[in-house]
């Protein structure tokens, strides 16, 4: 399977999950990222992140399947691997694939009276695709978890 067909399959899977299930939206202001996730309260979930601090200079997108390793009433601890790609790289014959990361994070419900509001914190070692250059990333953001109407 090529990278393009893999990306399409992941995006299609995310879209179908969002259509038929609960979703969350997150904003990481210090990293200028917007994230859309499937239901992060489930054991397995998918997160898609897009850079927001650029105007067509870079469309770096991250797809990250996540696994909740511990779920409590007010907090979920999770981990997952991600792949980052940039569709605009193909315009000038650069590789679309940019790199990989390992995410370890927590989503906390800080206000019990507003259970859909979450605070997310992650540590994510990131490496370029050739594994020659890496950086330790940290993410702090606000999340809103949508719920199905009952």
């Amino acid at each position: 399977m090529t990278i393009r067909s893999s990306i399409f399959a992941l995006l299609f899977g995310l879209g179908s999950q969002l259509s038929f299930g609960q979703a969350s939206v997150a904003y990481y202001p210090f990293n200028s990222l917007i994230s859309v996730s499937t239901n992060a309260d489930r054991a397995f979930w998918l997160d898609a992140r897009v850079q927001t601090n650029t105007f067509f200079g870079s469309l770096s997108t991250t797809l990250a399947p996540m696994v909740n390793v511990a779920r409590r009433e007010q907090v979920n601890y999770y981990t997952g691997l991600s792949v980052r790609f940039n569709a605009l790289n193909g315009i000038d014959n650069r590789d679309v694939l940019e790199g990989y990361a390992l995410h370890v994070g927590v989503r906390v419900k800080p206000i019990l009276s507003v259970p859909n509001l979450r605070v997310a914190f992650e540590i994510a070692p990131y490496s370029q695709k050739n594994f020659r250059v890496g950086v330790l990333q940290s993410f702090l953001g606000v999340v809103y978890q949508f719920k199905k109407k009952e």
Side-chain angles (χ1 to χ4, degrees), residues 1-18:
M1 188 188 296
T2 67
I3 289 179
R4 287 183 185 176
S5 57
S6 298
I7 292 169
F8 175 76
L10 284 171
L11 288 175
F12 181 76
L14 178 63
S16 63
Q17 277 286 335
L18 293 175

Side-chain angles (χ1 to χ4, degrees), residues 31-65:
N31 306 90
S32 300
L33 291 173
I34 290 182
S35 167
V36 177
S37 304
T38 59
N39 187 350
D41 289 333
R42 292 189 178 177
F44 299 99
W45 50 285
L46 183 63
D47 189 42
R49 300 173 185 192
V50 178
Q51 243 182 320
T52 61
N53 62 347
T54 182
F55 185 73
F56 296 119
S58 174
L59 287 179
S60 288
T61 304
T62 302
L63 293 177

Side-chain angles (χ1 to χ4, degrees), residues 56-76:
F56 296 119
S58 174
L59 287 179
S60 288
T61 304
T62 302
L63 293 177
M66 302 289 192
V67 176
N68 279 317
V69 293
R71 292 181 285 178
R72 308 284 188 265
E73 186 175 340
Q74 281 188 258
V75 62
N76 288 352

Side-chain angles (χ1 to χ4, degrees), residues 18-124:
L18 293 175
S19 299
F20 300 110
Q22 301 163 340
S24 66
V25 175
Y27 179 59
Y28 299 93
F30 304 108
N31 306 90
S32 300
L33 291 173
I34 290 182
S35 167
V36 177
S37 304
T38 59
N39 187 350
D41 289 333
R42 292 189 178 177
F44 299 99
W45 50 285
L46 183 63
D47 189 42
R49 300 173 185 192
V50 178
Q51 243 182 320
T52 61
N53 62 347
T54 182
F55 185 73
F56 296 119
S58 174
L59 287 179
S60 288
T61 304
T62 302
L63 293 177
M66 302 289 192
V67 176
N68 279 317
V69 293
R71 292 181 285 178
R72 308 284 188 265
E73 186 175 340
Q74 281 188 258
V75 62
N76 288 352
Y77 300 92
Y78 60 90
T79 187
L81 297 173
S82 70
V83 60
R84 186 165 84 182
F85 61 94
N86 187 339
L88 292 180
N89 286 352
I91 293 173
D92 55 0
N93 295 323
R94 290 181 292 156
D95 196 356
V96 173
L97 178 63
E98 291 186 339
Y100 311 96
L102 169 66
H103 300 262
V104 177
V106 60
R107 285 192 177 190
V108 178
K109 300 174 188 175
I111 305 170
L112 291 178
S113 61
V114 188
N116 295 359
L117 181 66
R118 320 273 168 97
V119 174
F121 177 73
E122 284 183 19
I123 297 291

